[in-house]
Amino acid sequence: MADINIVQAHQLAPEQARAAAQQVVDKLAEQFELSCRWEGDELHFDRSGVNGKLTLAPNEARVQMTLGLFYGAFASVVEAKLKDKMARVFAA
């Protein structure tokens, strides 16, 4: 198993941050066939072998993700792509 933890600073209004979070998780959902759901300011996502959440706070977005044995082998690639996507969408 592999854990990914990413913190991304932002200056977005709450509704813009929520839209940015949705973009990030939509991309993950496409790649991993995840199911997603909002619970307050947390966007949860999961499937067999992958689970996590993207939490919104004022001026910060945080992803906590756990990859199972199979996907864990690709953790460094997943983390790099996720960091890049978060930097791009939360910079707007």
Side-chain angles (χ1 to χ4, degrees):
M1 294 203 0
D3 291 324
I4 296 174
N5 293 293
I6 301 171
V7 177
Q8 176 66 49
H10 70 79
Q11 298 298 318
L12 302 176
E15 58 277 351
Q16 293 171 310
R18 193 173 179 95
Q22 189 68 57
Q23 284 183 44
V24 170
V25 174
D26 284 349
K27 185 66 173 176
L28 283 174
E30 177 184 307
Q31 293 175 332
F32 291 104
E33 299 177 5
L34 302 172
S35 63
C36 309
R37 71 192 176 287
W38 280 100
E39 293 180 11
D41 288 334
E42 293 183 341
L43 181 50
H44 295 260
F45 50 90
D46 56 41
R47 69 157 286 161
S48 178
V50 178
N51 68 64
K53 64 183 176 179
L54 192 157
T55 305
L56 294 176
N59 304 317
E60 180 181 279
R62 179 182 305 268
V63 169
Q64 296 168 298
M65 184 175 184
T66 300
L67 302 174
L69 190 59
F70 176 76
Y71 291 111
F74 306 102
S76 61
V77 173
V78 172
E79 183 171 17
K81 288 184 177 185
L82 187 54
K83 278 183 181 178
D84 180 60
K85 180 71 172 176
M86 287 184 68
R88 284 186 284 121
V89 301
F90 283 101

